[in-house]
């Protein structure tokens, strides 16, 4: 089976100093030229272009064009810290001509003082919000605010969700993870305070379930898995990393996911089909099966949720009737 989902880190250069990520502390390495992205498999349906800060690549539109050429049926979302407003607006308008449904996710981790402290840049909140509004003013619709829950901002989840609702944009949420090869933070992430997270998470889930959108119901279910993970209970569904999903770093090294360092090969050195069916890739997939590292990220959870859609739908319909009450905080 070929993969349908991928996260592509196009650069490890970064202009933020995020507390939960060590990428900015590292020395940036080589970056694939745009043409190499044409080797990606046409099977992909969801592609996240991420970093570092992807808009630091002045040739990002060329990278996007190469991805679209290789994967014409895929939907692209670009994750950004939103600090480069003018470049973001210019590049997104160019890329949207090739992909009208292009998505942009701008990180917002709380009110201005909290966000600026977490991102390590004075004025980061104002710059990020300026980027969102600039894209809205240009008529760009597929926008979302992306919240990363950490021990220092979990209580602000509902506040950022409400901000997204008031602006008419989507909302996505993740919880801080450690990763030695992606976030370059090999030590385990500090636990998110459950008492601070539980109430806001329940409110967001209930709001999503009140909608008539099955996509938002799936997001509510993803948040259920996030609570499950935060309580130390692992994943709601088996991991499909290395089968449905892969992560690729800026130099072309392909891993089963962005959490565990299970390398499958390098796209700059071979075509994707040979890489995907190589002995190294098979060995990496076996490591996934035996993996005990807990994680719950959108990139790997998305395909697991789709595979369990009857169960997810039944849960959503039931919770629409009964409301959301998350299990107690004790792990």
């Amino acid at each position: 089976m070929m993969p349908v989902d991928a996260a592509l880190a196009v650069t490890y250069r970064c202009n933020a100093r995020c507390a939960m990520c060590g990428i900015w502390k590292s020395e940036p390495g080589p970056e694939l030229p745009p043409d190499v992205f044409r080797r990606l498999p046409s099977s992909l349906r969801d592609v996240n272009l991420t970093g570092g800060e992807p808009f630091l690549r002045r040739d990002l539109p060329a990278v996007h064009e190469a991805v679209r050429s290789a994967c014409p049926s895929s939907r692209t979302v670009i994750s950004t810290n939103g600090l480069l407003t003018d470049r973001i607006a210019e590049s997104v308008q160019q890329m949207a001509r090739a992909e009208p449904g292009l998505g942009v996710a701008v990180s917002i981790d709380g009110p201005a003082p909290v966000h600026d402290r977490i991102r390590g840049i004075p004025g980061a909140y104002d710059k990020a919000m300026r980027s969102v509004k600039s894209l809205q003013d240009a008529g760009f619709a597929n926008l979302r605010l992306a919240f990363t829950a950490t021990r220092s901002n979990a209580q602000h989840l509902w506040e950022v969700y409400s901000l997204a609702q008031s602006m008419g944009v989507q909302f996505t949420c993740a919880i801080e993870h450690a990763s030695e090869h992606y976030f370059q933070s090999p030590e385990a992430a500090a636990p998110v305070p459950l008492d601070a997270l539980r109430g806001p998470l329940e409110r967001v889930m209930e709001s999503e379930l009140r909608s008539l959108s099955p996509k938002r119901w799936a997001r509510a279910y993803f948040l259920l898995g996030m609570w499950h993970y935060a309580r130390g209970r692992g994943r709601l569904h088996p991991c499909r990393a290395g089968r449905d999903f892969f992560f690729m770093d800026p130099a072309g090294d392909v891993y089963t996911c962005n959490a565990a360092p299970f390398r499958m090969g390098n796209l700059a050195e071979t075509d994707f089909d040979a890489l995907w069916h190589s002995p190294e890739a098979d060995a990496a997939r076996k490591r996934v099966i035996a993996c005990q590292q807990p994680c719950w990220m959108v990139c790997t959870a998305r395909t697991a949720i789709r595979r369990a859609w009857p169960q997810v739908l039944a849960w959503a319909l039931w919770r629409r009737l009964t409301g959301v009450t998350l299990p107690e905080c004790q792990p």
Side-chain angles (χ1 to χ4, degrees):
M1 176 175 291
M2 297 298 284
V4 295
D5 207 325
L8 312 176
V10 298
T11 182
Y12 278 163
R13 289 176 285 150
C14 194
N15 53 351
R17 300 292 181 266
C18 301
M20 64 285 203
C21 178
I23 287 177
W24 58 271
K25 300 176 185 177
S26 65
E27 193 68 31
E31 298 172 1
L32 291 179
D35 279 352
V36 176
F37 289 89
R38 297 183 189 278
R39 300 180 185 178
L40 291 168
S42 62
S43 58
L44 292 180
R45 295 297 178 266
D46 289 282
V47 174
N48 176 216
L49 299 183
T50 184
E53 171 48 48
F55 286 98
L56 284 173
R57 282 195 67 152
R58 291 188 176 274
D59 63 350
L60 185 62
V63 170
H64 173 254
E65 188 279 326
V67 173
R68 293 291 299 161
S69 174
C71 321
S73 298
S74 65
R75 295 164 294 193
T76 309
V77 173
I78 306 174
S79 298
T80 176
N81 57 36
L83 297 179
L84 299 171
T85 298
D86 292 342
R87 190 183 300 181
I88 290 169
E90 180 182 355
S91 296
V92 167
Q93 290 199 45
Q94 182 177 344
M95 290 184 283
R97 286 195 288 270
E99 183 182 355
L102 177 74
V104 177
V106 180
S107 297
I108 296 290
D109 294 321
V114 174
H115 180 81
D116 291 0
R117 172 171 45 80
I118 290 175
R119 297 289 160 173
I121 301 291
Y125 179 90
D126 290 340
K127 292 177 181 178
M129 293 303 296
R130 193 178 306 124
S131 294
V132 175
K133 291 173 182 175
S134 174
L135 292 172
Q136 284 188 310
D137 290 344
F140 188 76
N142 193 1
L143 292 168
R144 61 210 71 189
L145 302 187
F147 179 90
T148 300
T150 72
R151 61 178 174 177
S152 62
N153 73 334
Q155 69 272 25
H156 297 291
L157 188 152
W158 173 255
E159 188 174 346
V160 176
Y161 177 82
S162 298
L163 175 63
Q165 294 288 98
S166 70
M167 297 181 70
V169 301
Q170 300 177 57
F171 174 82
T172 63
C173 182
I175 199 164
E176 180 182 4
H177 281 66
S179 170
E180 64 183 75
H181 70 294
Y182 177 38
F183 299 117
Q184 300 182 32
S185 53
E187 296 182 4
V192 173
L194 298 178
D195 288 331
L197 180 65
R198 185 186 185 201
L201 200 60
E202 286 180 341
R203 294 180 72 185
V204 173
M205 291 170 67
E206 287 182 343
S207 178
E208 292 292 275
L209 288 170
R210 280 196 297 269
S211 79
L212 298 178
S213 167
K215 180 178 179 180
R216 291 178 64 179
W217 300 351
R219 284 178 177 164
Y221 187 83
F222 172 80
L223 295 178
L224 173 68
M226 200 172 87
W227 177 250
H228 201 77
Y229 166 80
R231 294 174 67 233
R233 300 300 178 89
R235 298 176 57 91
L236 287 177
H237 300 286
C239 182
R240 297 283 303 179
R243 288 173 287 176
D244 292 343
F245 170 84
F246 69 89
F247 166 76
M248 187 171 73
D249 75 9
D253 281 329
V254 174
Y255 296 86
T256 55
C257 71
N258 44 3
F262 305 153
R263 186 180 181 274
M264 306 179 78
N266 186 286
L267 191 63
E269 298 170 356
T270 185
D271 66 84
F272 192 88
D273 189 71
L275 183 158
W276 196 248
H277 296 99
S278 68
E280 185 176 7
D282 289 340
R285 279 186 279 268
K286 290 178 181 178
R287 295 181 70 184
V288 171
I289 294 172
C291 180
Q292 298 298 313
Q293 180 173 330
C295 67
W296 186 252
M297 300 183 185
V298 171
C299 51
T300 51
R302 179 164 41 214
T303 54
I305 288 172
R306 285 173 180 163
R307 286 177 175 273
W309 183 242
Q311 177 182 337
V312 174
L313 182 60
W315 173 87
L317 293 173
W318 176 246
R319 288 305 174 189
R320 277 171 58 84
L321 293 173
T322 63
V324 176
T325 303
L326 292 173
E328 294 296 331
C329 295
Q330 291 81 11

